[in-house]
Amino acid sequence: MVAHKRFPTGGQYQEAVQHSERYFSDPGLRSASFERMAMGLPKMISGNFASVFPMTARSGQRYAVKCFTREVPYQLQRYKIIGEQLSRLRPWWATDFQFLKEGIQVENDWYPILRMNWVSGLTLIPWVTSHRSNYMALGGLVDKFDQVVADLAKADMAHGDLQGGNLLVTDSGKLHLVDYDGMYVPGLEGFPAGEFGHPDYQPPHRSQTDYGPMMDRFSAWLISLSLRMLTAAPELWDQLNPGHDDYLLLNRNDLANLTSSSRFSILMSHRNSEVRRLAHLARDILPLP
């Protein structure tokens, strides 16, 4: 039986980040400052298997420092291959990162971290909420998103978790794709999927074997078509997502059965002919393997 290493909790990482000069291996992070929460503790953004800490180096460079709270299979090999590919291609939508195998010390043991350049901006859902009445901005974002997808496909790459939280729009309108934990690049053939992606953006029956250059196709179509519908009929945002939740116009329950979805029925019968056309296209494409 393979023994799995137990990783620290987010709270244990918080304690270590408070004393960055002692517990980071990277010289830049040892002298970096951290953002504080109300009680003075380091600000922490918790995710599925990691906690992220915003930090600023003495040079002024801001970082997002990702500390892992559970073991991720083949983590080191993945990031090495992904990093080499992104360094070679230097795509306009990517953020620089460095994977440090022994990045932070917690209770006498060293654990890996991911040091990423910080990108200031809004994730997709808050951005759409703020710009839903600006059809030119929405249309421009769709074009940028489609170009990201085309760039990935041209390089035989896939992100693996295309979703609102991983799409950042800067104040200048530039689109960034972040979080490369589940990414596929050439050289990762034969590896299992590192994650399954956000269920509001993935095919209902995605499995660990769905890992390769084509795994983004469902989520790419879903996001692109949804944004195009919003461009044609901005009122759909508050009608179909009144709480401005993580999904766009359709959530995981709708995707599980489009034919019985009340949201999808609204799109299929909408008074706007472009929305109806895009909904029919979604009906034909999304159920495909």
Side-chain angles (χ1 to χ4, degrees), residues 68-84:
F68 299 93
T69 52
R70 65 178 174 86
E71 188 173 18
V72 180
Y74 310 106
Q75 187 179 63
L76 179 60
Q77 301 97 310
R78 286 182 195 274
Y79 273 116
K80 181 177 184 296
I81 295 170
I82 293 168
E84 289 171 351

Side-chain angles (χ1 to χ4, degrees), residues 47-62:
N48 185 28
F49 54 82
S51 295
V52 177
F53 297 90
M55 301 188 72
T56 304
R58 283 183 177 174
S59 64
Q61 174 65 56
R62 296 187 70 202

Side-chain angles (χ1 to χ4, degrees), residues 114-251:
L114 195 67
R115 192 197 69 189
M116 304 167 284
N117 285 3
W118 185 270
V119 178
S120 295
L122 292 175
T123 54
L124 185 61
I125 301 303
W127 187 91
V128 169
T129 301
S130 298
H131 295 80
R132 60 188 180 277
S133 298
N134 187 338
Y135 75 92
M136 290 188 66
L138 279 170
L141 184 69
V142 179
D143 291 340
K144 293 184 182 79
F145 175 75
D146 287 350
Q147 187 58 56
V148 170
V149 174
D151 284 359
L152 286 164
K154 184 178 179 181
D156 288 326
M157 295 163 49
H159 181 266
D161 190 18
L162 291 180
Q163 49 117 330
N166 289 333
L167 293 163
L168 280 172
V169 189
T170 67
D171 291 340
S172 64
K174 185 176 180 180
L175 181 64
H176 283 272
L177 183 58
V178 300
D179 192 349
Y180 310 137
D181 293 334
M183 180 172 271
Y184 171 86
V185 302
L188 290 177
E189 299 87 350
F191 280 69
E195 58 179 317
F196 299 119
H198 195 301
D200 286 334
Y201 294 83
Q202 294 296 326
H205 304 295
R206 181 178 172 182
S207 72
Q208 200 167 31
T209 60
D210 297 317
Y211 182 64
M214 295 185 290
M215 65 178 171
D216 283 342
R217 292 192 174 183
F218 181 97
S219 51
W221 275 108
L222 179 65
I223 293 170
S224 184
L225 291 172
S226 297
L227 291 175
R228 290 179 186 278
M229 291 182 201
L230 282 170
T231 303
E235 71 276 5
L236 285 170
W237 186 239
D238 289 325
Q239 182 181 6
L240 299 187
N241 191 355
H244 305 154
D245 296 322
D246 287 343
Y247 65 94
L248 285 169
L249 299 179
L250 302 172
N251 65 22

